[in-house]
C-alpha cells in the first residue's frame, strides 16, 4: 500500500527536534524506521510530520561504565551484536539480539525505536523490564528518567509524552558469574515470538539463588515480570523440583489472549515450558537458542 502524505524534518539538535514534536500534534519520531514505516504503509498511522533524528549527536554510542551500560537511543542492533565488550559487560543483552528479526532489519533497527514502539512481543522491551533499566527522555519540560517498570503502559503505548524523545537506556552493572538465559519460541527464526522468557540470578556461597529476575514477552499487553516465580526462586537451590514448581507457577501467572498465531492456552503453556528451559540453561550455562517450528 502507499503511505499517507506527511511532512518531513531532519533537525540537527535535540532542542529543535523537541520543538518540532511539540508544535505538530501527532508528529512521530523516525529512528531506524523498522516499526514506523510498516505502520505507515498499512495506513495504521497518519502522522502529519516525521522528525528524523539521524543527525542528532550523541545518540549512537554504547558506554561501559563501572555502574553499568549507557546505550544511546539510535544504537542499532548490529552494533550490539558486534561489540565485544558486551560478552562480559552484559551477555544477556547481547544474546537477545540474535532473536531480533533478520540481518537486514538488525542493520537499521534501533534500541530507542523498539522501546518507543513497545510491541509486547519484542525482545528489547522485555529485556529492559527484566533488567530494571532506566529510560532517559527529553522534552519541553526537560530531561526525565523513567523506570522500565513504569514505561510500558499497553500494547504500542508508553509513558512518553508527545514531545519527548528517548535519548538513552541505562542498564545496571552486570556482576561476574551471574547466571542467565534467554529463550523464545517463534514459527520461524526472526518472526515475533509467540512467547519468550529471560532469566538471571546470582548465587550465594551456599549455592542459593539471590536476586532472581524472570521476564516474559508475548504473553500480555506489555512485557511482564513474574514476581511470584521470582519469590519462589529466591533463597532456594536450583534443582528439578524447584524448576517444576517454577514452570507451573509461570504458566499460572500469565493470561495471554488468543490470535491467529496461537491460542491463549498455548501461550500460557509455552511460558511455563520456556521458564523451565531458561532455568535449566541458567543453572548449567550454555549457548542460548531460539526454537523454530516448521
Amino acid at each position: 500500500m502507499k503511505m499517507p502524505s506527511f511532512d518531513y524534518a531532519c533537525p540537527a539538535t535535540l532542542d529543535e527536534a523537541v520543538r518540532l514534536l511539540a508544535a505538530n500534534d501527532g508528529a512521530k519520531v523516525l529512528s531506524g524506521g523498522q516499526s514506523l514505516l510498516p505502520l505507515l504503509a498499512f495506513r495504521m498511522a497518519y502522522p502529519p510530520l516525521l522528525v528524523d533524528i539521524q543527525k542528532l549527536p550523541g545518540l549512537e554510542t554504547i558506554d561501559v561504565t563501572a555502574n553499568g551500560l549507557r546505550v544511546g537511543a539510535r544504537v542499532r542492533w548490529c552494533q550490539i551484536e558486534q561489540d565485544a565488550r558486551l560478552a562480559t559487560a552484559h551477555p544477556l543483552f547481547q544474546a537477545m539480539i540474535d532473536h531480533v528479526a533478520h540481518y537486514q532489519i538488525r542493520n537499521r533497527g534501533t534500541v530507542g525505536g523498539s522501546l518507543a514502539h513497545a510491541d509486547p512481543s519484542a525482545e528489547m522491551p522485555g529485556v529492559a523490564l527484566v533488567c530494571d533499566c532506566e529510560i532517559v527522555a527529553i522534552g519541553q519540560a526537560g530531561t526525565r528518567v523513567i523506570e522500565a517498570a513504569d514505561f510500558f503502559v499497553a500494547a504500542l503505548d508508553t509513558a512518553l509524552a508527545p514531545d519527548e524523545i528517548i535519548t538513552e537506556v541505562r542498564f545496571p552493572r552486570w556482576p561476574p558469574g551471574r547466571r542467565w538465559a534467554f529463550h523464545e519460541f517463534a514459527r520461524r527464526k526472526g518472526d515475533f515470538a509467540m512467547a519468550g522468557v529471560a532469566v538471571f540470578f546470582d548465587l550465594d556461597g551456599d549455592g542459593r539463588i539471590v536476586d532472581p529476575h524472570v521476564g516474559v514477552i508475548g504473553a500480555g499487553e506489555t512485557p511482564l515480570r513474574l514476581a511470584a516465580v521470582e519469590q519462589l526462586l529466591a533463597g532456594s537451590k536450583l534443582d528439578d523440583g524447584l524448576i517444576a514448581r517454577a514452570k507451573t507457577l509461570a504458566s499460572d501467572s500469565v493470561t495471554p489472549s488468543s490470535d491467529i498465531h496461537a491460542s491463549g492456552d498455548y501461550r500460557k503453556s509455552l511460558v511455563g515450558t520456556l521458564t523451565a528451559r531458561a532455568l535449566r540453561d541458567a543453572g548449567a550455562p550454555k549457548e542460548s537458542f531460539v526454537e523454530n517450528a516448521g
Side-chain angles (χ1 to χ4, degrees), residues 209 212 226-237 241-250 279:
I209 294 172
L226 302 188
V229 178
E230 294 173 353
Q231 291 170 9
L232 173 69
L233 297 173
S236 300
K237 290 189 176 183
L242 182 65
I243 291 173
R245 294 195 299 276
K247 175 182 178 179
T248 299
L249 188 55
L279 287 171

Side-chain angles (χ1 to χ4, degrees), residues 24-44:
N24 294 272
D25 185 38
K28 295 291 185 182
V29 173
L30 176 63
S31 185
Q34 300 306 292
S35 299
L36 178 59
L37 295 184
L39 289 180
L40 296 176
F42 283 106
R43 300 295 181 101
M44 297 175 68

Side-chain angles (χ1 to χ4, degrees), residues 3 24 77 143 151 170-171 176 187 202-203 206 209 274 276 282:
M3 294 186 182
N24 294 272
W77 306 125
T143 299
F151 185 80
R170 299 172 182 169
F171 286 78
R187 289 182 180 275
D202 302 316
L203 296 176
D206 294 325
I209 294 172
L274 293 176

